[in-house]
Amino acid sequence: MKSKIQESKKNNTENMGKKFLLIAALLFFSFSIQAQDKKAKELLDQVTAKVKSYNTIVIDFKYSLNNAKENINQDSKGNVTMKGNQYVLNFMGVTKIFDGKKTYTIVPEDEEITISKVNVKDDNAITPSKMLTFFNTGYKYNMDILQNVKGRKIQYIKLVPTNSKDQRKEVLLGIDIQTKHIYNLIEVGKKGTKTTLTVNSFKTNQPLSKNQFTFAESKYPNYYINKLD
């Protein structure tokens, strides 16, 4: 009888010990995740502050679209010049100019120009400047891998959209640890599509023409102009 009682106590003690270790492990894991999230938040805040500190930004980039199942592999290059909310974007043969009030989409292949108004206060309005700070809302994030890319230390942060209807499974944001500039952006879709935007050059506070963000209709005499607003 005594041995059974001792055995029972021993089992209870072992079970309590296992539970304690499990709780301790969970607490430690939870603390690690919080600490990791805090580090990710600090790094993202530094990137945002750096972007907002520049008067002008000029970026040359490469865009890749891949889907192994659909056998799709596409690469394109582009560039964008920004000052505040204003920008000129050249990508895939199309030029988009935003002067702060209207967007002018110029398609030389079709000799067509589309003019539309943009509400910059609209959170859903996408502009290149917002693309550099998009991560501030709508995502859960934590630190991911640290890579050495041609001598540059690139820290990746994994962002998972909080909206279940979002077609993206996750976003990996690569940040240059030294400059706090975005190196690349990798989006992984729920259906296997992977898009990568890599910054080839990032120039700041460049002198720009006074007419940099001004649309001149006289430059396109034979174009059809489609005014949406």
Side-chain angles (χ1 to χ4, degrees), residues 56-71:
T56 65
I57 298 174
V58 180
I59 295 174
D60 286 327
F61 62 87
K62 177 184 176 182
Y63 180 85
S64 300
L65 172 65
N66 306 100
N67 188 314
K69 292 181 179 178
E70 302 293 334
N71 195 27

Side-chain angles (χ1 to χ4, degrees), residues 130-174:
K130 285 186 178 181
M131 291 300 289
L132 294 175
T133 55
F134 75 94
F135 42 77
N136 286 315
T137 57
Y139 297 90
K140 294 179 181 178
Y141 45 78
N142 64 287
M143 300 290 270
D144 204 82
I145 62 172
L146 176 66
Q147 281 190 341
N148 191 311
V149 181
K150 297 179 180 178
R152 299 167 64 186
K153 289 185 178 180
I154 307 299
Q155 174 64 61
Y156 282 91
I157 293 178
K158 182 184 287 186
L159 302 109
V160 178
T162 54
N163 187 345
S164 60
K165 294 182 180 179
D166 199 308
Q167 294 304 305
R168 296 168 301 171
K169 180 182 177 182
E170 62 185 29
V171 179
L172 286 170
L173 187 66

Side-chain angles (χ1 to χ4, degrees), residues 38-51:
K38 186 179 179 181
K39 286 184 178 180
K41 179 68 165 60
E42 288 175 353
L43 185 54
L44 292 175
D45 286 346
Q46 289 173 1
V47 172
T48 301
K50 205 71 181 287
V51 168

Side-chain angles (χ1 to χ4, degrees), residues 51-113:
V51 168
K52 290 182 177 180
S53 72
Y54 299 127
N55 184 41
T56 65
I57 298 174
V58 180
I59 295 174
D60 286 327
F61 62 87
K62 177 184 176 182
Y63 180 85
S64 300
L65 172 65
N66 306 100
N67 188 314
K69 292 181 179 178
E70 302 293 334
N71 195 27
I72 298 174
N73 290 287
Q74 298 177 353
D75 289 328
S76 305
K77 290 183 179 181
N79 60 75
V80 60
T81 301
M82 295 175 280
K83 183 176 182 179
N85 285 324
Q86 297 176 309
Y87 68 85
V88 177
L89 172 67
N90 296 296
F91 183 56
M92 297 184 75
V94 176
T95 297
K96 292 190 75 169
I97 301 172
F98 179 57
D99 60 9
K101 295 180 179 180
K102 294 182 179 180
T103 297
Y104 304 84
T105 304
I106 305 163
V107 187
E109 186 177 355
D110 299 332
E111 292 192 338
E112 183 176 353
I113 297 169

